[in-house]
Amino acid sequence: MGKSVLNLVNYDFVAPKDPEASIWRYMDLAKYLSMLYTGSVYFANTLILKEDRFELSWPRRVLEQRQETTRSMFDRLYSSFLLQNPGQEESLPSIDSVVEMDEKYRSWEKNYTFVSCWHLGDVESAAMWKIYGSESKSIVIRSKISSLIDQIRRSPSFAGFGEGLDYLSVGAVQYIDFDEFEDFMYELPYARAFLKRKNFSHEKEIRVVLGKITGRTFERGIAVRVNLGSLIEEVRIGPGAEPWFIEMVKEATNKFGFDFPVNRTSLDNDPIF
């Protein structure tokens, strides 16, 4: 087997402040039933995420710094080589071509970066319900950061990845100005999966980021098997759901052998005047 999953699950970037904090994953009925059927958490390839076109893109100043560093490093290497091998200039690729190769190398990253996205918050988010389509036919599952990490660490799915499991990390997404941001730590592989534009700050997102390079073939997503009974604390149904829909979700949950509670959203609670 390849790298230890225990060692790979880490906080390389911004760690969530409270591991016991509640996290929420909003979805439609089809995705919920798929989760129950497969007993897994789905990691989507960042290539298919259409909401934010800046997924895995480079902050301008971070990229400029990387290009400058690459040029400077190879300039020193070339100078040292030519001191020892005078007259061999033509045997070396141009520094421009080296920078271009570095850009091509960076481009593979988006093909092999997968994310599982969760909303951080003490309570449900009315905005997140609206984002996820038909509120009355949507579902949210509630868990904790610590439970998610524990289940990912224990997942039997990683045994089959071997050396293809390149990276696995948990962190809070940072919402930035891509023109001004200049934390150069984010030039590291997979790091930019934890960056989004400030326009999306309402998402308060916790991400698990997985880098998988086995086979170098495109995959839309990866299902990582977990113990859903230990991961999910509660399921809630979207605002305005009909009683029949709530009962159907309860029945489906039970048929798949799970007993976590299925409740109506707290947004449907009656006010007192």
Side-chain angles (χ1 to χ4, degrees):
M1 184 180 170
K3 302 170 185 175
S4 164
V5 173
L6 181 64
N7 292 335
L8 278 169
V9 179
N10 51 55
Y11 302 121
D12 281 347
F13 301 101
V14 178
K17 294 180 180 178
D18 179 9
E20 300 306 307
S22 291
I23 50 176
W24 310 75
R25 186 163 170 82
Y26 293 80
M27 62 190 72
D28 58 25
L29 177 62
K31 289 181 180 177
Y32 177 66
L33 294 178
S34 176
M35 173 182 276
L36 297 182
Y37 178 73
T38 61
S40 64
V41 171
Y42 186 74
F43 284 69
N45 190 313
T46 53
L47 274 177
I48 69 170
L49 300 180
K50 303 299 184 183
E51 182 184 45
D52 185 2
R53 293 171 52 245
F54 278 58
E55 285 282 359
L56 237 68
S57 65
W58 282 79
R60 181 176 58 83
R61 293 183 177 178
V62 176
L63 179 57
E64 290 172 349
Q65 175 66 28
R66 180 183 176 100
Q67 291 172 334
E68 181 181 333
T69 300
T70 300
R71 289 179 182 276
S72 176
M73 178 180 67
F74 276 90
D75 186 56
R76 291 195 302 272
L77 288 172
Y78 282 14
S79 297
S80 176
F81 175 82
L82 292 173
L83 280 174
Q84 301 176 47
N85 302 273
Q88 297 294 314
E89 290 87 348
E90 293 185 2
S91 68
L92 299 174
S94 70
I95 292 181
D96 284 341
S97 68
V98 171
V99 172
E100 184 178 345
M101 283 189 291
D102 181 59
E103 291 174 356
K104 290 180 179 179
Y105 170 78
R106 295 196 313 268
S107 68
W108 68 263
E109 187 179 336
K110 195 163 186 178
N111 292 317
Y112 306 106
T113 302
F114 301 82
V115 295
S116 177
C117 308
W118 298 72
H119 174 76
L120 176 67
D122 296 330
V123 297
E124 300 163 60
S125 165
M128 294 298 289
W129 278 122
K130 292 182 181 298
I131 290 170
Y132 280 82
S134 174
E135 299 174 33
S136 62
K137 291 188 173 69
S138 296
I139 291 164
V140 67
I141 64 173
R142 179 171 62 85
S143 185
K144 291 188 298 189
I145 295 172
S146 59
S147 298
L148 177 62
I149 294 171
D150 181 61
Q151 287 306 306
I152 294 297
R153 279 179 169 157
R154 295 171 182 268
S155 174
S157 296
F158 296 116
F161 285 6
E163 292 298 333
L165 179 59
D166 191 46
Y167 180 85
L168 188 60
S169 188
V170 182
V173 170
Q174 301 302 292
Y175 300 96
I176 67 165
D177 182 334
F178 274 76
D179 286 326
E180 301 298 329
F181 186 78
E182 52 183 6
D183 185 338
F184 302 116
M185 177 178 69
Y186 284 87
E187 74 170 73
L188 296 172
Y190 307 108
R192 289 168 306 288
F194 292 103
L195 298 178
K196 296 188 78 170
R197 288 180 286 180
K198 290 182 177 180
N199 312 68
F200 296 91
S201 60
H202 61 277
E203 294 177 349
K204 298 171 62 179
E205 191 174 330
I206 299 293
R207 276 190 170 181
V208 188
V209 176
L210 185 156
K212 178 176 178 289
I213 56 176
T214 299
R216 298 283 180 171
T217 56
F218 174 75
E219 297 172 271
R220 289 183 60 85
I222 297 172
V224 174
R225 284 181 289 146
V226 297
N227 182 337
L228 293 180
S230 298
L231 174 67
I232 299 175
E233 296 187 353
E234 181 186 10
V235 174
R236 294 188 187 178
I237 312 299
E242 297 290 340
W244 66 265
F245 183 78
I246 299 173
E247 290 306 312
M248 180 184 68
V249 174
K250 288 181 178 179
E251 185 174 340
T253 301
N254 292 333
K255 281 187 174 180
F256 279 105
F258 299 105
D259 60 1
F260 32 76
V262 177
N263 299 313
R264 181 184 292 274
T265 172
S266 60
L267 292 176
D268 279 349
N269 292 348
D270 293 325
I272 299 175
F273 296 103

